[in-house]
Amino acid sequence: MKTTRYRSTRGRSPMVGIGAAIAAGLAPDGGLYVPERLPRLDVAVFDPNGTLTDTATTLLAPFFAGDPLADALPAICAEALTFDTPLRPLAGDPHGHVLELFHGPTAAFKDAGARFLAACLRRLPRSDARPLTILVATSGDTGAAVGAAFHGQPGVRVVILYPDGRVSPRQAHQLGCFGGNVRALRVSGRFDDCQRMVKAALNDVELQREVPLSSANSISLGRLLPQMSYYAHAALAWWRAQAVPLNFIVPTGNLGNALACLWVRETGLPVGEIRLACNANATLSDFFSGDDYRPRAAVATLANAMDVGAPSNFERLRWTFGDDISVRRTVRAECVDDAAIRATIRRHAHEHGEVLCPHTACAAHVLDGLRAEGDRAECAVVATAHPAKFEGVVEPLAGRPVAVPSALAVMLQRPSHAEPLAAEDAALKQWLRQHAHAGEAFVA
Ligand SMILES: *Cc1c(COP(=O)(O)O)cnc(C)c1O
């Protein structure tokens, strides 16, 4: 197989292999790594009886071709994708389906990407003997997935920054429950503050000399590529059984999960229409209705993991389709406000017994709108988190308690601790310097 090389969306960085692209995260010119061209894949190369891991290994092989990491790809997929991503019928909609992505250890789809990234980084050579500190700013779910993926991994420490009081109580508990090589900092500010503080630390060359730093945000190819696997797996199974492509509606914030779905379709696999369901943050829906792309400050919503005003994968979306007109022709996006999220959770629970998390409810609302227009196409709503993570919102609307999945229950029983931190770049840098010489478990 020919070597696949990766270039920056901004075109001013040297091309690199997949291992180097994953190790770097962001390209040196500030752009995002994309493959020189997306590979073409044929339905026939996939094992019809294969597991999710088998599908992932076949799908991702051309992306890893020619790289030293390629030999380890089957093991990486087996280590990362240890949970099911079932496609099941949506109650009350004869042509509706739910792609459940929340059966991983932290009950959100981010587990797939975080675990794959961790499995890759474990295998990438490092010249520095000191532990690598991975910084992650989170609006709720990423931090837990990254913490869980790296917990106990030698040579790595994780520092999670989250906006104090702006994640659900169970999300907060999860973020602080790891201990050991994973630390949680609750920042007295917003998610944008956390993200800015992480960027400032990563860009500080002096600090990096004292504390080797890396990031695990959603622009990493190590998180994006594995997310293609569950779409390919569901789409292939559906295609084999029904001989029509399945449509998807993807709850969208930073555009990582939806882009993975789009890339699966671009490889030639049978995926139908793809719609993005956003919350009240209207950057994408305004763009898709014809406005210029205009990033802005995020507003807080019930679907907090999608509170993004400047979707970080937008550059990759543009690269994928070449220009704005083609992007708009290929994808659609819709905004769903909090009132609609509430009404959707309530209606699906009371009329059909379907209990949805606030993010999944955005996608279900888009589907309900299509049905009201008479659309009867086969369509899967992508369920990005388990409703039990947001019980404070969901239970009063659904009018019933939501059972907690066992992996989440285990985490909620552990003690949890987060240190307060001011929302200032200098505060994070000082914290990192103070802990620079502590061991992997952050103990001096
Ligand atoms: C992160 C997240 C999203 C948004 O995914 P992106 O890849 O950022 O678009 C949606 N729902 C849940 C539950 C999430 O945790």
Side-chain angles (χ1 to χ4, degrees):
M1 227 185 262
K2 226 177 125 258
T3 300
T4 301
R5 295 192 307 159
Y6 292 78
R7 55 172 294 243
S8 163
T9 46
R10 300 196 183 164
R12 291 188 300 271
S13 298
M15 296 227 255
V16 294
I18 185 69
I22 289 175
L26 207 62
D29 64 2
L32 309 188
Y33 280 117
V34 288
E36 244 177 308
R37 69 189 69 79
L38 283 168
R40 297 289 296 178
L41 284 155
D42 194 317
V43 174
V45 301
F46 291 87
D47 175 359
N49 302 310
T51 61
L52 174 65
T53 302
D54 298 330
T55 301
T57 307
T58 306
L59 176 75
L60 299 179
F63 288 89
F64 279 66
D67 193 81
L69 263 188
D71 288 345
L73 182 63
I76 291 169
C77 291
E79 253 169 63
L81 302 167
T82 47
F83 48 91
D84 287 334
T85 55
L87 181 71
R88 59 145 178 105
L90 172 69
D93 184 331
H95 306 286
H97 312 269
V98 182
L99 179 61
E100 293 186 344
L101 303 182
F102 52 67
H103 296 284
T106 70
F109 82 88
K110 304 248 175 30
D111 283 321
R115 291 169 65 82
F116 191 93
L117 175 64
C120 290
L121 290 185
R122 266 198 280 286
R123 291 169 170 87
L124 289 170
R126 276 192 71 221
S127 51
D128 200 319
R130 295 172 297 170
L132 180 67
T133 302
I134 295 179
L135 298 179
V136 50
T138 184
S139 59
D141 288 328
T142 300
V146 171
F150 288 96
H151 191 211
Q153 180 166 325
V156 178
R157 319 191 294 180
V158 175
V159 178
I160 301 166
L161 282 79
Y162 71 91
D164 201 4
R166 289 172 195 255
V167 304
S168 85
R170 281 184 181 163
Q171 283 177 315
H173 190 103
Q174 264 190 324
L175 293 168
C177 81
F178 297 105
N181 65 331
V182 181
R183 279 298 176 89
L185 306 176
R186 48 185 176 89
V187 174
S188 51
R190 300 197 288 181
F191 170 65
D192 292 335
D193 296 310
C194 300
Q195 206 155 23
R196 190 204 64 237
M197 292 160 72
V198 164
K199 276 200 191 133
L202 289 168
N203 290 334
D204 187 327
V205 182
E206 262 205 5
L207 176 67
Q208 286 257 25
R209 236 177 263 133
E210 287 172 63
V211 194
L213 298 173
S214 181
S215 74
N217 56 18
S218 78
I219 51 108
S220 168
L221 280 175
R223 284 181 55 190
L224 182 62
L225 295 177
Q227 291 172 179
M228 296 172 68
S229 315
Y230 38 73
Y231 291 113
H233 197 60
L236 285 165
W238 182 262
W239 174 257
R240 286 184 201 110
Q242 308 292 334
V244 287
L246 184 60
N247 298 344
F248 290 93
I249 305 175
V250 189
T252 295
N254 266 324
L255 251 172
N257 203 13
L259 190 72
C261 188
L262 285 160
W263 277 13
V264 170
R265 191 173 64 184
E266 291 304 300
T267 67
L269 295 183
V271 169
E273 286 179 40
I274 299 167
R275 287 185 173 76
L276 316 183
C278 303
N279 59 21
N281 288 280
T283 307
L284 287 172
S285 58
D286 284 358
F287 167 80
F288 279 102
S289 50
D291 290 0
D292 285 340
Y293 176 69
R294 194 166 51 81
R296 56 200 86 165
V299 298
T301 75
L302 293 174
N304 65 3
M306 289 154 44
D307 290 349
V308 176
S312 53
N313 279 293
F314 188 78
E315 280 191 42
R316 282 198 177 106
L317 184 71
R318 258 189 183 146
W319 169 85
T320 304
F321 299 106
D323 60 73
D324 290 357
I325 293 167
S326 312
V327 174
R328 291 194 189 101
R329 239 200 332 259
T330 341
V331 205
R332 260 167 278 195
E334 201 176 308
C335 253
V336 181
D337 64 19
D338 277 359
I341 291 175
R342 283 199 188 89
T344 303
I345 295 175
R346 200 181 289 124
R347 190 178 86 75
H348 279 265
H350 289 275
E351 292 179 15
H352 310 298
E354 283 281 359
V355 182
L356 308 169
C357 94
H359 312 80
T360 309
C362 293
H365 179 81
V366 171
L367 180 61
D368 291 347
L370 291 171
R371 296 309 189 221
E373 291 164 8
D375 185 312
R376 295 285 170 267
E378 299 292 336
C379 186
V381 162
V382 176
T384 46
H386 194 286
K389 278 189 109 164
F390 307 92
E391 88 288 5
V393 174
V394 173
E395 288 182 348
L397 294 167
R400 69 173 82 175
V402 181
V404 178
S406 56
L408 179 57
V410 169
M411 287 194 184
L412 295 177
Q413 271 154 23
R414 286 197 220 145
S416 177
H417 176 71
E419 288 172 50
L421 192 75
E424 288 156 19
D425 297 354
L428 175 62
K429 292 182 185 181
Q430 192 193 353
W431 192 95
L432 290 167
R433 286 203 167 94
Q434 270 167 6
H435 293 79
H437 304 292
E440 274 163 27
F442 291 107
V443 223

